[in-house]
Amino acid sequence: MKTSTLRPLGRRAGDLPVAMVFLLPAAVGFAVFYLWPTLRTMYLSFTEYSLLAPPEWIGVENYQKVFGDRLFWNSLQVTVEYVVINIGIQTVVALGMAVLMHRLTRSGLIRGVLLLPYLVANVVVALIWYTMLDAQLGIVNQALEWIGVDPVAFFGETSTAIPTIALVNVWRHVGYTALLIFAGLQAIPKTFYEAAQTDGASEIRMFWRITLPLLRPALALVLVLTIIGSFQIFDTVAVTTKGGPVNATRVIYYYIYEQAFQRFNFGYAAAVCVALFAILATLALMQLKLLRAGETDLD
Amino acid sequence: MSHAPNRRRPSWQRLAAWAILVLFVLITLAPFYWMLRISLSDNRTLFAGAGSLLPSDFTFGAFRRVLGIATLEEAAAQGGSGANINFWRYLANSVATSAVITVCQVFFSAMAAYAFARLRWPGREQVFFVFLTALMVPPIFTALPNFVTVKELGLLNTYAGIMLPYLFMTPFAVFFLRQFFLNISREVEEAAIVDGAGHARIFFRLIVPMSSAPIATISLLVYIGAWNEYFWPLLVGQEDDVRVLTVALGIFRSQTPQAGPDWAGLMAATLLAALPIIALFAVFGRWIVNSIQFSGIK
């Protein structure tokens, strides 16, 4: 604001012509690959479209079908199951990791190592665990055998497939989540801990009385981000189980993928996309409200 | 940086805490070791020695198979599936598409970030907000119509099709760079304006060099993201000559026979696909770790 007074002549538009030049490529990308497709998905959700003929307007028929579609509800249920296991375990473990790092060490090496799985492709992580969890040859079953447990077909059984995929992705994401929480921990003034220590408080007491309450806003944001990310599970399923056994791992992303790219029901897939978007937006708003993510208790 | 806990005497509590942290590190690293261990094994004896911590019948055979330098007899003798994987081609595709995506996306995003951070024009904050809302849209929401767009442009199974949606910007890159551009002091810029420098000159000679560290960081993040991307290239780039490594690994895995899978080959290919990222991380890890402290997003 200050600088505008320094400029020769009070031009209303400011740097608008220059800004348009600098914005042009990004604006084209935004319009063509974000804005237009978002509107187009909404439009397609009201049509029947198989890619071969032009989309045909059918009103809310797709949405009516979505509500009565057993496989849609199944995919939603499977996805929610995945998210609950994935986020539940990941958040608790990441919180533990972050607090341990915060109270023990500033080592960049440890933080780096814990982050490593997150930087490796989903596909790579899925294949490593697919090998390690194989029913005959996998080291995990070998270890189970040593302690006298029967081998488990982790990816191959309806009851274990989703928890297995959820845990594989906990392994991939937990270090990253821990670093996000760690960043929040660093905002808590050290003097709080020093004062508590002079008063003879134990580490566990300090965790419940200082760390957790002051971490709440950061934790809330991390939860919003990781939950939305978790709903978008696709790669691991596509590489390992392909939705099976039976319908046990047909998560919503995979269901949309099948409808659009294997059955060419583009209109229907678009309607499921809109439903997913509505669910995610509602979740995010609810969480931000409930957890009062924007506010801090530090003031 | 005197830090209170470090000065305390070691107690059983601290020892236990350290033990748990070390355990986390081990659990993080063990699967990487196991990938290496299987990839250096001979398929034929893998089953018998499944519990051994060392490779069974140490051999580079699996890597030779994946890289296409093993003879057919050699591959068969070590339980290779005989499936031909055009590894060098996929590697080149991944390297090239990720590199072009990185250069274009970071450059165009930096230009946009400059307009949002350093230029004054009506509606600036509103337009920036609209850009940011794109962060909220799930990728699959745009993937369906983007597929239609790429198909209509006749770009299915081309490099252009694989790269196009990522070439111009991502909301995250614009947001990330804008934060740094905002912190550059006005005075330097105004001195340049007084000297008669235009905006192009200020951008290229002043803003970009002064922000080389964040630009390098975001480039690294974009490169890793592009390298790891699976969903989009799966939709538009299945054909052999444009296939990238992630898609190739997925196909390699689904073609692997149920009866006698080539585990060593699969793990060797997986390891080779992850190696460039692990190497990048070994060199530039500190930047990436710091960028997470900074942004809190992605």
PDB file of all heavy atoms in Angstrom, chain A residues 1 3-4 13-14 31 46 51-52 61-62 87 95 102 120 125 167 182 185 194 211 224 228 252 264 268 298:
ATOM      1  N   MET A   1       0.826  -1.197   0.000  1.00  0.00           N
ATOM      2  CA  MET A   1       0.000   0.000   0.000  1.00  0.00           C
ATOM      3  C   MET A   1       0.866   1.254   0.000  1.00  0.00           C
ATOM      4  O   MET A   1       0.649   2.203  -0.716  1.00  0.00           O
ATOM      5  CB  MET A   1      -0.900   0.027   1.242  1.00  0.00           C
ATOM      6  CG  MET A   1      -1.983  -1.022   1.244  1.00  0.00           C
ATOM      7  SD  MET A   1      -3.112  -0.869  -0.160  1.00  0.00           S
ATOM      8  CE  MET A   1      -3.273  -2.561  -0.668  1.00  0.00           C
ATOM      9  N   THR A   3       3.743   1.822  -1.184  1.00  0.00           N
ATOM     10  CA  THR A   3       4.482   2.131  -2.401  1.00  0.00           C
ATOM     11  C   THR A   3       3.620   2.797  -3.457  1.00  0.00           C
ATOM     12  O   THR A   3       4.133   3.505  -4.288  1.00  0.00           O
ATOM     13  CB  THR A   3       5.086   0.851  -3.002  1.00  0.00           C
ATOM     14  OG1 THR A   3       4.034  -0.083  -3.126  1.00  0.00           O
ATOM     15  CG2 THR A   3       6.170   0.309  -2.124  1.00  0.00           C
ATOM     16  N   SER A   4       2.327   2.567  -3.403  1.00  0.00           N
ATOM     17  CA  SER A   4       1.489   3.129  -4.455  1.00  0.00           C
ATOM     18  C   SER A   4       1.598   4.666  -4.464  1.00  0.00           C
ATOM     19  O   SER A   4       1.474   5.286  -5.502  1.00  0.00           O
ATOM     20  CB  SER A   4       0.041   2.685  -4.290  1.00  0.00           C
ATOM     21  OG  SER A   4      -0.402   3.038  -3.007  1.00  0.00           O
ATOM     22  N   ALA A  13      -5.233   1.353 -12.380  1.00  0.00           N
ATOM     23  CA  ALA A  13      -5.055  -0.068 -12.677  1.00  0.00           C
ATOM     24  C   ALA A  13      -3.749  -0.607 -12.102  1.00  0.00           C
ATOM     25  O   ALA A  13      -3.538  -1.801 -12.082  1.00  0.00           O
ATOM     26  CB  ALA A  13      -5.105  -0.288 -14.179  1.00  0.00           C
ATOM     27  N   GLY A  14      -2.869   0.274 -11.612  1.00  0.00           N
ATOM     28  CA  GLY A  14      -1.605  -0.185 -11.074  1.00  0.00           C
ATOM     29  C   GLY A  14      -0.810  -0.913 -12.140  1.00  0.00           C
ATOM     30  O   GLY A  14      -0.664  -0.425 -13.264  1.00  0.00           O
ATOM     31  N   ALA A  31      -7.500 -22.289 -15.946  1.00  0.00           N
ATOM     32  CA  ALA A  31      -8.803 -22.318 -16.619  1.00  0.00           C
ATOM     33  C   ALA A  31      -9.034 -23.656 -17.314  1.00  0.00           C
ATOM     34  O   ALA A  31     -10.111 -24.251 -17.207  1.00  0.00           O
ATOM     35  CB  ALA A  31      -8.880 -21.169 -17.624  1.00  0.00           C
ATOM     36  N   PHE A  46     -24.980 -34.836 -14.930  1.00  0.00           N
ATOM     37  CA  PHE A  46     -26.394 -34.836 -15.321  1.00  0.00           C
ATOM     38  C   PHE A  46     -26.602 -35.445 -16.710  1.00  0.00           C
ATOM     39  O   PHE A  46     -27.648 -35.260 -17.315  1.00  0.00           O
ATOM     40  CB  PHE A  46     -26.949 -33.406 -15.325  1.00  0.00           C
ATOM     41  CG  PHE A  46     -26.968 -32.779 -13.959  1.00  0.00           C
ATOM     42  CD1 PHE A  46     -26.019 -31.842 -13.597  1.00  0.00           C
ATOM     43  CD2 PHE A  46     -27.947 -33.145 -13.032  1.00  0.00           C
ATOM     44  CE1 PHE A  46     -26.029 -31.280 -12.330  1.00  0.00           C
ATOM     45  CE2 PHE A  46     -27.964 -32.580 -11.779  1.00  0.00           C
ATOM     46  CZ  PHE A  46     -27.003 -31.646 -11.418  1.00  0.00           C
ATOM     47  N   LEU A  51     -18.284 -41.507 -23.940  1.00  0.00           N
ATOM     48  CA  LEU A  51     -17.105 -41.066 -24.690  1.00  0.00           C
ATOM     49  C   LEU A  51     -17.265 -41.205 -26.194  1.00  0.00           C
ATOM     50  O   LEU A  51     -16.598 -40.519 -26.953  1.00  0.00           O
ATOM     51  CB  LEU A  51     -15.831 -41.838 -24.275  1.00  0.00           C
ATOM     52  CG  LEU A  51     -15.096 -41.400 -23.022  1.00  0.00           C
ATOM     53  CD1 LEU A  51     -13.850 -42.253 -22.828  1.00  0.00           C
ATOM     54  CD2 LEU A  51     -14.696 -39.935 -23.108  1.00  0.00           C
ATOM     55  N   LEU A  52     -18.120 -42.122 -26.633  1.00  0.00           N
ATOM     56  CA  LEU A  52     -18.245 -42.365 -28.075  1.00  0.00           C
ATOM     57  C   LEU A  52     -19.232 -41.393 -28.709  1.00  0.00           C
ATOM     58  O   LEU A  52     -18.975 -40.839 -29.768  1.00  0.00           O
ATOM     59  CB  LEU A  52     -18.672 -43.815 -28.342  1.00  0.00           C
ATOM     60  CG  LEU A  52     -17.666 -44.841 -27.817  1.00  0.00           C
ATOM     61  CD1 LEU A  52     -18.210 -46.257 -27.904  1.00  0.00           C
ATOM     62  CD2 LEU A  52     -16.354 -44.717 -28.600  1.00  0.00           C
ATOM     63  N   GLU A  61     -31.051 -38.331 -13.038  1.00  0.00           N
ATOM     64  CA  GLU A  61     -31.135 -39.793 -13.073  1.00  0.00           C
ATOM     65  C   GLU A  61     -29.902 -40.471 -12.470  1.00  0.00           C
ATOM     66  O   GLU A  61     -30.007 -41.434 -11.713  1.00  0.00           O
ATOM     67  CB  GLU A  61     -31.315 -40.255 -14.521  1.00  0.00           C
ATOM     68  CG  GLU A  61     -31.975 -41.615 -14.652  1.00  0.00           C
ATOM     69  CD  GLU A  61     -32.194 -41.975 -16.109  1.00  0.00           C
ATOM     70  OE1 GLU A  61     -33.014 -41.292 -16.775  1.00  0.00           O
ATOM     71  OE2 GLU A  61     -31.528 -42.905 -16.575  1.00  0.00           O
ATOM     72  N   ASN A  62     -28.700 -39.919 -12.810  1.00  0.00           N
ATOM     73  CA  ASN A  62     -27.473 -40.501 -12.259  1.00  0.00           C
ATOM     74  C   ASN A  62     -27.472 -40.476 -10.738  1.00  0.00           C
ATOM     75  O   ASN A  62     -27.062 -41.442 -10.091  1.00  0.00           O
ATOM     76  CB  ASN A  62     -26.253 -39.738 -12.763  1.00  0.00           C
ATOM     77  CG  ASN A  62     -25.894 -40.120 -14.189  1.00  0.00           C
ATOM     78  OD1 ASN A  62     -26.100 -41.266 -14.585  1.00  0.00           O
ATOM     79  ND2 ASN A  62     -25.382 -39.171 -14.940  1.00  0.00           N
ATOM     80  N   ILE A  87      -6.249 -43.223   9.533  1.00  0.00           N
ATOM     81  CA  ILE A  87      -6.058 -41.965  10.248  1.00  0.00           C
ATOM     82  C   ILE A  87      -5.921 -42.200  11.747  1.00  0.00           C
ATOM     83  O   ILE A  87      -5.087 -41.586  12.411  1.00  0.00           O
ATOM     84  CB  ILE A  87      -7.222 -40.993   9.956  1.00  0.00           C
ATOM     85  CG1 ILE A  87      -7.214 -40.610   8.491  1.00  0.00           C
ATOM     86  CG2 ILE A  87      -7.139 -39.759  10.844  1.00  0.00           C
ATOM     87  CD1 ILE A  87      -5.983 -39.877   8.044  1.00  0.00           C
ATOM     88  N   LEU A  95       1.835 -38.575  16.403  1.00  0.00           N
ATOM     89  CA  LEU A  95       1.902 -37.707  17.577  1.00  0.00           C
ATOM     90  C   LEU A  95       2.993 -38.193  18.517  1.00  0.00           C
ATOM     91  O   LEU A  95       3.807 -37.397  19.019  1.00  0.00           O
ATOM     92  CB  LEU A  95       0.542 -37.685  18.281  1.00  0.00           C
ATOM     93  CG  LEU A  95       0.391 -36.752  19.473  1.00  0.00           C
ATOM     94  CD1 LEU A  95       0.622 -35.310  19.058  1.00  0.00           C
ATOM     95  CD2 LEU A  95      -0.993 -36.886  20.094  1.00  0.00           C
ATOM     96  N   HIS A 102      10.563 -34.075  19.664  1.00  0.00           N
ATOM     97  CA  HIS A 102      10.554 -32.752  20.271  1.00  0.00           C
ATOM     98  C   HIS A 102      11.268 -32.751  21.615  1.00  0.00           C
ATOM     99  O   HIS A 102      12.011 -31.820  21.934  1.00  0.00           O
ATOM    100  CB  HIS A 102       9.094 -32.313  20.447  1.00  0.00           C
ATOM    101  CG  HIS A 102       8.934 -30.947  21.006  1.00  0.00           C
ATOM    102  ND1 HIS A 102       9.431 -29.829  20.384  1.00  0.00           N
ATOM    103  CD2 HIS A 102       8.331 -30.507  22.133  1.00  0.00           C
ATOM    104  CE1 HIS A 102       9.140 -28.766  21.090  1.00  0.00           C
ATOM    105  NE2 HIS A 102       8.475 -29.134  22.163  1.00  0.00           N
ATOM    106  N   VAL A 120       8.798 -41.859  -1.493  1.00  0.00           N
ATOM    107  CA  VAL A 120       8.849 -42.957  -2.451  1.00  0.00           C
ATOM    108  C   VAL A 120       7.431 -43.170  -2.987  1.00  0.00           C
ATOM    109  O   VAL A 120       6.455 -42.996  -2.261  1.00  0.00           O
ATOM    110  CB  VAL A 120       9.379 -44.219  -1.745  1.00  0.00           C
ATOM    111  CG1 VAL A 120       9.306 -45.410  -2.655  1.00  0.00           C
ATOM    112  CG2 VAL A 120      10.802 -43.994  -1.279  1.00  0.00           C
ATOM    113  N   VAL A 125       5.913 -48.494  -2.654  1.00  0.00           N
ATOM    114  CA  VAL A 125       5.569 -48.920  -1.293  1.00  0.00           C
ATOM    115  C   VAL A 125       4.618 -50.112  -1.343  1.00  0.00           C
ATOM    116  O   VAL A 125       4.793 -51.108  -0.629  1.00  0.00           O
ATOM    117  CB  VAL A 125       4.934 -47.751  -0.513  1.00  0.00           C
ATOM    118  CG1 VAL A 125       4.340 -48.226   0.806  1.00  0.00           C
ATOM    119  CG2 VAL A 125       5.965 -46.660  -0.270  1.00  0.00           C
ATOM    120  N   LEU A 167      -2.730 -50.076   6.879  1.00  0.00           N
ATOM    121  CA  LEU A 167      -1.480 -50.078   7.643  1.00  0.00           C
ATOM    122  C   LEU A 167      -0.277 -49.819   6.749  1.00  0.00           C
ATOM    123  O   LEU A 167       0.670 -49.142   7.154  1.00  0.00           O
ATOM    124  CB  LEU A 167      -1.317 -51.406   8.391  1.00  0.00           C
ATOM    125  CG  LEU A 167      -2.247 -51.550   9.594  1.00  0.00           C
ATOM    126  CD1 LEU A 167      -2.122 -52.932  10.211  1.00  0.00           C
ATOM    127  CD2 LEU A 167      -1.940 -50.487  10.637  1.00  0.00           C
ATOM    128  N   PHE A 182       5.325 -32.000  14.396  1.00  0.00           N
ATOM    129  CA  PHE A 182       6.572 -31.490  14.968  1.00  0.00           C
ATOM    130  C   PHE A 182       6.688 -29.975  14.736  1.00  0.00           C
ATOM    131  O   PHE A 182       7.083 -29.223  15.633  1.00  0.00           O
ATOM    132  CB  PHE A 182       7.749 -32.226  14.327  1.00  0.00           C
ATOM    133  CG  PHE A 182       9.089 -31.864  14.887  1.00  0.00           C
ATOM    134  CD1 PHE A 182       9.499 -32.384  16.099  1.00  0.00           C
ATOM    135  CD2 PHE A 182       9.939 -31.021  14.203  1.00  0.00           C
ATOM    136  CE1 PHE A 182      10.738 -32.053  16.615  1.00  0.00           C
ATOM    137  CE2 PHE A 182      11.177 -30.680  14.715  1.00  0.00           C
ATOM    138  CZ  PHE A 182      11.578 -31.203  15.927  1.00  0.00           C
ATOM    139  N   LEU A 185       4.635 -28.344  17.201  1.00  0.00           N
ATOM    140  CA  LEU A 185       5.235 -28.400  18.550  1.00  0.00           C
ATOM    141  C   LEU A 185       6.276 -27.311  18.745  1.00  0.00           C
ATOM    142  O   LEU A 185       6.424 -26.765  19.839  1.00  0.00           O
ATOM    143  CB  LEU A 185       5.896 -29.769  18.760  1.00  0.00           C
ATOM    144  CG  LEU A 185       4.971 -30.954  18.990  1.00  0.00           C
ATOM    145  CD1 LEU A 185       5.763 -32.243  19.014  1.00  0.00           C
ATOM    146  CD2 LEU A 185       4.214 -30.778  20.297  1.00  0.00           C
ATOM    147  N   GLU A 194      10.078 -25.499  30.774  1.00  0.00           N
ATOM    148  CA  GLU A 194      11.072 -25.212  31.806  1.00  0.00           C
ATOM    149  C   GLU A 194      10.379 -24.896  33.134  1.00  0.00           C
ATOM    150  O   GLU A 194      10.781 -25.389  34.193  1.00  0.00           O
ATOM    151  CB  GLU A 194      11.965 -24.044  31.358  1.00  0.00           C
ATOM    152  CG  GLU A 194      13.007 -24.486  30.334  1.00  0.00           C
ATOM    153  CD  GLU A 194      13.495 -23.351  29.451  1.00  0.00           C
ATOM    154  OE1 GLU A 194      13.250 -22.180  29.785  1.00  0.00           O
ATOM    155  OE2 GLU A 194      14.127 -23.656  28.418  1.00  0.00           O
ATOM    156  N   THR A 211       1.473 -29.860  26.125  1.00  0.00           N
ATOM    157  CA  THR A 211       1.621 -30.179  24.707  1.00  0.00           C
ATOM    158  C   THR A 211       0.277 -30.310  24.012  1.00  0.00           C
ATOM    159  O   THR A 211       0.002 -29.608  23.033  1.00  0.00           O
ATOM    160  CB  THR A 211       2.415 -31.494  24.553  1.00  0.00           C
ATOM    161  OG1 THR A 211       3.609 -31.391  25.315  1.00  0.00           O
ATOM    162  CG2 THR A 211       2.753 -31.732  23.105  1.00  0.00           C
ATOM    163  N   VAL A 224      -7.483 -32.427   9.220  1.00  0.00           N
ATOM    164  CA  VAL A 224      -8.291 -32.083   8.042  1.00  0.00           C
ATOM    165  C   VAL A 224      -7.551 -32.511   6.773  1.00  0.00           C
ATOM    166  O   VAL A 224      -8.111 -33.174   5.890  1.00  0.00           O
ATOM    167  CB  VAL A 224      -8.600 -30.571   8.011  1.00  0.00           C
ATOM    168  CG1 VAL A 224      -9.265 -30.198   6.692  1.00  0.00           C
ATOM    169  CG2 VAL A 224      -9.491 -30.195   9.167  1.00  0.00           C
ATOM    170  N   ILE A 228      -8.686 -35.811   4.328  1.00  0.00           N
ATOM    171  CA  ILE A 228      -9.060 -35.603   2.930  1.00  0.00           C
ATOM    172  C   ILE A 228      -8.129 -36.405   2.013  1.00  0.00           C
ATOM    173  O   ILE A 228      -8.577 -37.042   1.060  1.00  0.00           O
ATOM    174  CB  ILE A 228      -9.040 -34.098   2.590  1.00  0.00           C
ATOM    175  CG1 ILE A 228     -10.218 -33.429   3.314  1.00  0.00           C
ATOM    176  CG2 ILE A 228      -9.128 -33.860   1.093  1.00  0.00           C
ATOM    177  CD1 ILE A 228     -10.296 -31.946   3.142  1.00  0.00           C
ATOM    178  N   ILE A 252     -13.750 -45.814  -3.010  1.00  0.00           N
ATOM    179  CA  ILE A 252     -14.566 -44.953  -3.876  1.00  0.00           C
ATOM    180  C   ILE A 252     -13.788 -44.451  -5.096  1.00  0.00           C
ATOM    181  O   ILE A 252     -14.327 -44.415  -6.205  1.00  0.00           O
ATOM    182  CB  ILE A 252     -15.186 -43.801  -3.052  1.00  0.00           C
ATOM    183  CG1 ILE A 252     -16.289 -43.117  -3.851  1.00  0.00           C
ATOM    184  CG2 ILE A 252     -14.159 -42.795  -2.606  1.00  0.00           C
ATOM    185  CD1 ILE A 252     -17.405 -42.594  -3.008  1.00  0.00           C
ATOM    186  N   PHE A 264     -16.902 -47.171 -19.051  1.00  0.00           N
ATOM    187  CA  PHE A 264     -17.186 -45.967 -19.836  1.00  0.00           C
ATOM    188  C   PHE A 264     -18.536 -45.337 -19.498  1.00  0.00           C
ATOM    189  O   PHE A 264     -19.222 -44.818 -20.356  1.00  0.00           O
ATOM    190  CB  PHE A 264     -17.044 -46.262 -21.334  1.00  0.00           C
ATOM    191  CG  PHE A 264     -15.656 -46.731 -21.662  1.00  0.00           C
ATOM    192  CD1 PHE A 264     -15.392 -48.073 -21.886  1.00  0.00           C
ATOM    193  CD2 PHE A 264     -14.606 -45.822 -21.672  1.00  0.00           C
ATOM    194  CE1 PHE A 264     -14.095 -48.500 -22.134  1.00  0.00           C
ATOM    195  CE2 PHE A 264     -13.310 -46.254 -21.931  1.00  0.00           C
ATOM    196  CZ  PHE A 264     -13.061 -47.597 -22.160  1.00  0.00           C
ATOM    197  N   TYR A 268     -22.143 -41.266 -15.066  1.00  0.00           N
ATOM    198  CA  TYR A 268     -22.370 -41.839 -13.747  1.00  0.00           C
ATOM    199  C   TYR A 268     -21.152 -41.622 -12.846  1.00  0.00           C
ATOM    200  O   TYR A 268     -21.287 -41.244 -11.670  1.00  0.00           O
ATOM    201  CB  TYR A 268     -22.684 -43.329 -13.867  1.00  0.00           C
ATOM    202  CG  TYR A 268     -23.103 -43.947 -12.564  1.00  0.00           C
ATOM    203  CD1 TYR A 268     -24.308 -43.590 -11.972  1.00  0.00           C
ATOM    204  CD2 TYR A 268     -22.275 -44.849 -11.911  1.00  0.00           C
ATOM    205  CE1 TYR A 268     -24.682 -44.126 -10.762  1.00  0.00           C
ATOM    206  CE2 TYR A 268     -22.650 -45.397 -10.698  1.00  0.00           C
ATOM    207  CZ  TYR A 268     -23.853 -45.041 -10.128  1.00  0.00           C
ATOM    208  OH  TYR A 268     -24.225 -45.556  -8.925  1.00  0.00           O
ATOM    209  N   LEU A 298      -2.557 -19.842  22.490  1.00  0.00           N
ATOM    210  CA  LEU A 298      -1.270 -19.309  22.935  1.00  0.00           C
ATOM    211  C   LEU A 298      -1.330 -17.844  23.333  1.00  0.00           C
ATOM    212  O   LEU A 298      -0.446 -17.355  24.011  1.00  0.00           O
ATOM    213  CB  LEU A 298      -0.231 -19.480  21.822  1.00  0.00           C
ATOM    214  CG  LEU A 298       0.598 -20.772  21.897  1.00  0.00           C
ATOM    215  CD1 LEU A 298       1.559 -20.846  20.729  1.00  0.00           C
ATOM    216  CD2 LEU A 298       1.345 -20.870  23.208  1.00  0.00           C
TER     217      LEU A 298
END
